[in-house]
Amino acid sequence: MTLAAFVFDVDGTLADTERDGHRVAFNQAFAEAGLDWHWDVALYGKLLAVTGGKERMRHYLDRYRPDWARPADLDGLIARLHAAKTRYYTALLAKGGIPLRSGVARLLREARSAGIRLAIATTTTPENVTALIEHALTPEAVGWFEVIAAGDVVPAKKPAPDIYRYALDKLGLAPETCLAFEDSKNGLRAARAAGLRTVITVNDYTRDQDFTDAVLVLDQFGEPQQPFHVLGSRMPLNGARMFDLSLARVLAGE
Ligand code: XBP
Ligand code: MG
């Protein structure tokens, strides 16, 4: 099958945004609202089981703060907190606070010059995606992505396949012609349920998750001077040291 497109997850895959980005912004929003909520690094790792910031806050209350007195308009409070969190998060990105992961910019450029189409399928808020691409890559790079499928555009977030199906529909492509890139079990489940072969680059929060359903599991895409480590592979990699287009074509079954 000819490889037609790459579909990227954002948080954890394009950049390590969770621990020092989203988590910090949530805490800033809680403090600004005068709440005694604080998500430390370990607790945030557990909360990541639930995707979506608004959903994550609700899960936190249900699971960890059952006695906290809910206001009559809990939805309104969550929406206001989430808007403040997005403001803090995008301000952090605008300061250049979070770089892309190793090999991401190289892989995107290689794909573009080879005519591989690019798309995004993420749970996060759309403005977080554009802010990351603009500030960690270049402002023009937002236009490199034909489809940016993000946030509440589908009702069911990952691990549901809906966001991948939405992106494929907008691309007008069958899943067999694409590769998905993810960092988490929830993301892998979403991509696989939509029929995409999936490459995983792990991070500290996801390293120990079950990725048996992935076609390749790496610690990073890698660079010529910074080779990847292979954590799991369905096929021989013939000495490859970084994830590039020739490896992508092999994985896609070209
Ligand atoms: C990661 C997420 C997001 C972010 C927070 O999504 O689960 O919820 O943690 O973003 P992905 P919002 O890995 O699919 O990009 O607060 O904007 O929801
Ligand atoms: Mg992710």
Side-chain angles (χ1 to χ4, degrees), residues 45-103:
K46 295 186 186 128
L47 295 174
L48 281 173
V50 172
T51 62
K54 296 187 286 291
E55 294 81 352
R56 191 168 296 144
M57 284 188 264
R58 252 181 228 111
H59 168 69
Y60 167 70
L61 288 179
D62 292 344
R63 173 80 178 71
Y64 296 95
R65 303 297 297 268
D67 298 334
W68 188 78
R70 271 88 170 140
D73 182 17
L74 181 60
D75 286 353
L77 172 65
I78 299 260
R80 283 192 301 281
L81 287 171
H82 195 248
K85 176 263 172 176
T86 300
R87 174 165 43 80
Y88 281 115
Y89 180 70
T90 51
L92 176 74
L93 293 176
K95 284 193 300 188
I98 304 201
L100 295 182
R101 292 189 64 184
S102 155

Side-chain angles (χ1 to χ4, degrees), residues 9-11 18 22 26 44 48 50-54 56 82 85 121-125 128 158 183:
D9 168 50
V10 173
D11 295 300
E18 293 292 6
H22 289 294
F26 278 115
Y44 194 67
L48 281 173
V50 172
T51 62
K54 296 187 286 291
R56 191 168 296 144
H82 195 248
K85 176 263 172 176
T122 176
T123 297
T124 202
T125 304
N128 296 348
K158 298 175 188 176
D183 70 304

Side-chain angles (χ1 to χ4, degrees), residues 163-226:
I163 198 73
Y164 275 98
R165 289 195 178 133
Y166 178 93
L168 289 173
D169 186 53
K170 294 280 169 200
L171 287 167
L173 288 174
E176 306 80 49
T177 66
C178 303
L179 273 185
F181 298 93
E182 278 285 352
D183 70 304
S184 72
K185 172 76 181 158
N186 278 331
L188 174 64
R189 284 176 60 194
R192 292 296 298 136
L196 288 105
R197 289 179 214 209
T198 307
V199 175
I200 299 287
T201 47
V202 301
N203 57 58
D204 286 346
Y205 274 133
T206 66
R207 198 170 301 276
D208 297 325
Q209 296 179 354
D210 175 10
F211 293 124
T212 28
D213 211 17
V215 69
L216 180 63
V217 185
L218 303 169
D219 67 333
Q220 58 182 318
F221 291 129
E223 298 283 6
Q225 304 309 322
Q226 192 183 1

